């Protein structure tokens, strides 16, 4: 009897499954259409999401590019403003220095006319202690204002400073007062420029090349008896005087040896030579060879005739 009940239960379960199968079979077409519609909608949503992602990425790139460009322009404007402020400060300091030099010349003219002066000092070519104090005060004021005195080499040669050793004031000459402009920097070919920046080239020009010129032409006009006080200065003074006839036309120049000495190197490395090439490209230096010696002529304010 129990076996009969089990068989009946089994048959009933099979009948229920058949009913479910028949019911699903009857709805198969409808379910299939619904699944196809859902699949199409899913593909459409996926396509829209992909397009939206691309549009968003493009807008982000545009915003980033605009931001980078705005930051670059801001930095350029800041640099130009700082350069302008510095140049204005230098002009004011130079104006004050020129005023002091005019006072000095007027003072010395009075001395030549025979006006009495209590502080006359005849040891320095007619210059007085007040002359030296006047120039010294000018140098000191410029230093305190974080400026550096700039005078012309021709004025320096005729001044009492050429016969005195200035321990606390390094003279700079307006003859070499040059900086590379943005336009000049942008004209330099990329293969020549490499990874050098605008600041790198100007720093090399100011702290190496111009310093070499200033140091040479501060020492060169000095009398021998003034230079004798320092044995190193004396050797350089002799070398500079021996080299004066190497370049015709009275052009101001330094040698590769001067630059190597300034950099505390035995020879110039490739990086330094490339920077010199850049300065030649922008028209500040010109190379001139005499036998085995390489001279670099200052041509920023003139043109050197290689045919001379």
């Amino acid at each position: 009897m129990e076996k009969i009940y089990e068989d009946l239960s089994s048959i009933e379960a099979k009948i229920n499954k058949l009913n479910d199968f028949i019911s699903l079979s009857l709805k198969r077409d409808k379910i299939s259409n619904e699944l196809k519609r859902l699949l199409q909608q899913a593909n459409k949503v996926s396509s829209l999401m992909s397009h939206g992602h691309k549009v968003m990425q493009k807008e982000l790139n545009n915003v980033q590019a605009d931001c980078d460009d705005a930051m670059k322009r801001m930095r350029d404007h800041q640099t130009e403003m700082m350069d302008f402020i510095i140049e204005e400060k230098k002009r004011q300091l130079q104006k004050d220095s020129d005023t002091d030099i005019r006072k000095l010349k007027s003072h010395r003219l009075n001395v030549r006319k025979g006006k009495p002066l209590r502080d006359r000092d005849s040891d320095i070519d007619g210059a007085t202690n007040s002359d030296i104090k006047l120039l010294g005060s000018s140098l000191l004021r410029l230093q305190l204002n974080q400026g550096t005195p700039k005078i012309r080499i021709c004025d320096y040669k005729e001044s009492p400073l050429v016969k005195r050793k200035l321990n606390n004031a390094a003279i700079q000459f307006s003859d070499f007062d040059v900086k590379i402009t943005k336009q000049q920097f942008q004209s330099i070919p990329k293969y020549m420029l490499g990874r050098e920046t605008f600041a790198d080239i100007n720093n090399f020009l100011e702290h190496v090349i111009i310093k070499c010129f200033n140091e040479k032409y501060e020492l060169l006009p000095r009398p021998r008896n003034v230079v004798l006080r320092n044995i190193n200065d004396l050797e350089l003074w002799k070398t500079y005087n021996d080299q004066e006839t190497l370049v015709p036309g009275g052009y101001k120049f330094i040698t590769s040896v001067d630059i190597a000495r300034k950099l505390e190197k035995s020879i110039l490395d490739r990086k330094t030579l490339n920077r010199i090439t850049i300065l030649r490209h922008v028209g500040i230096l010109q190379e001139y060879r005499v036998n085995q010696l390489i001279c670099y002529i200052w041509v920023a304010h003139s043109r050197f005739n290689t045919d001379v």
Side-chain angles (χ1 to χ4, degrees), residues 246-248 286-290 293-295 297 304 306 308:
L246 294 179
V247 176
Q286 185 163 331
E287 184 178 296
Y288 183 74
R289 293 177 179 264
V290 183
L293 186 64
I294 303 176
C295 303
I297 303 169
F304 176 68
T306 55
V308 175

Side-chain angles (χ1 to χ4, degrees), residues 96 116 118 139 185 198 206 246 251 260 265 269 276:
D96 294 342
R118 291 176 295 177
L139 299 181
F185 182 77
F198 179 72
E206 179 181 357
L246 294 179
Y251 288 92
K265 296 178 179 179
D269 55 24
I276 293 174

Side-chain angles (χ1 to χ4, degrees), residues 22-39:
I22 293 170
S23 177
L24 290 172
S25 296
L26 293 174
K27 296 179 180 180
R28 181 179 61 185
D29 294 338
K30 185 177 181 180
I31 293 173
S32 178
N33 293 333
E34 289 293 329
L35 289 173
K36 288 180 180 179
R37 187 173 61 83
L38 290 174
L39 182 60

